[in-house]
């Protein structure tokens, strides 16, 4: 866009895309996003798609994580085609990230939801998926029960690897 109006471009190979920005559920079409700090993923946040699957090593390069989110083709409802994933944190990840820091995003900005259990998480994901543009044929949208099954499998596999110590490979991401 800048070069089209004659601007000189410098060091464009150094430009980085940040993979995690919050979509405001109260104003999803707003082009301005809050940065979702890498510490969310670094603290143990797991990226989940609308089917309930983990699909990327969250600690990989920004470009790899960004591309993986886009490749999921999950489109947030009302966000002008913005691709998205859910970043799921358990209590240990919240503690590591910092409850006060997370409170800023949750309580002050309304960008984070807390759920009590897998049923509630599956319901939240299903409610978003059913209203998104991801599934042009709404009958293709995974059911809440299917999402819960996938979440259980995904998070159990992640927990098994995370609790086994260094050297274990995640069966999903192979990292």
């Amino acid at each position: 866009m800048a070069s089209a109006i004659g601007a000189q471009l410098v060091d464009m190979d150094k430009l980085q895309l940040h993979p995690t920005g919050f979509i405001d559920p109260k104003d999803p079409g707003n082009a301005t996003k809050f940065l979702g700090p890498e510490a969310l993923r670094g603290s143990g946040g797991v990226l989940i798609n609308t089917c309930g699957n983990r699909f990327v090593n969250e600690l990989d390069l920004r470009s790899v994580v960004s591309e993986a989110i886009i490749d999921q083709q999950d489109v947030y409802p009302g966000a002008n085609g913005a691709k998205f994933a859910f970043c799921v944190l358990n209590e240990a990840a919240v503690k590591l990230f910092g409850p006060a820091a997370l409170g800023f995003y949750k309580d002050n900005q309304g960008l984070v939801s807390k759920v009590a259990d897998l049923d509630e998480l599956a319901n939240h994901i299903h409610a978003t998926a059913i209203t998104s543009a991801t599934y042009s044929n709404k009958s293709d949208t995974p059911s809440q029960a299917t999402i819960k099954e996938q979440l259980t499998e995904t998070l159990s596999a992640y927990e098994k690897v995370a609790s086994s110590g260094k050297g274990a490979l995640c069966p999903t991401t192979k990292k």
Side-chain angles (χ1 to χ4, degrees):
M1 181 167 42
S3 64
I5 60 169
Q8 183 180 2
L9 304 179
V10 178
D11 295 329
M12 293 304 292
D13 61 324
K14 306 295 187 263
L15 187 68
Q16 291 187 25
L17 176 67
H18 199 285
T20 46
F22 288 110
I23 296 173
D24 186 346
K26 297 177 296 306
D27 189 11
N30 190 334
T32 301
K33 308 293 183 220
F34 254 92
L35 179 70
E38 289 177 312
L40 286 169
R41 294 177 283 119
S43 299
V46 179
L47 294 176
I48 303 290
N49 65 19
T50 58
C51 294
N53 296 312
R54 179 176 180 234
F55 55 88
V56 67
N57 173 7
E58 293 80 7
L59 302 179
D60 214 326
L61 297 172
R62 289 176 177 177
S63 58
V64 172
V65 175
S66 297
E67 186 175 340
I69 292 170
I70 292 167
D71 286 349
Q72 296 303 299
Q73 293 297 308
D74 289 339
V75 178
Y76 195 86
N80 303 318
K83 307 295 190 298
F84 79 106
F86 296 93
C87 186
V88 178
L89 286 80
N90 63 13
E91 290 298 324
V94 169
K95 185 176 179 182
L96 190 58
F97 179 73
L102 192 61
F104 170 78
Y105 296 103
K106 180 182 168 288
D107 302 325
N108 295 1
Q109 302 301 319
L111 302 171
V112 174
S113 301
K114 181 174 182 170
V115 296
D117 55 27
L118 278 179
D119 283 322
E120 207 172 308
L121 179 57
N123 183 51
H124 181 71
I125 291 173
H126 182 260
T128 304
I130 200 78
T131 58
S132 77
T134 303
Y135 303 97
S136 55
N137 182 353
K138 295 305 176 193
S139 65
D140 292 339
T141 306
S143 70
Q144 183 177 341
T146 300
I147 293 170
K148 183 181 177 187
E149 282 177 33
Q150 287 306 122
L151 280 170
T152 301
E153 185 178 310
T154 295
L155 297 176
S156 293
Y158 181 82
E159 176 64 28
K160 182 179 178 183
V161 170
S163 64
S164 68
K166 292 192 179 259
L169 297 179
C170 173
T172 302
T173 65
K174 308 296 185 240
K175 294 187 178 191

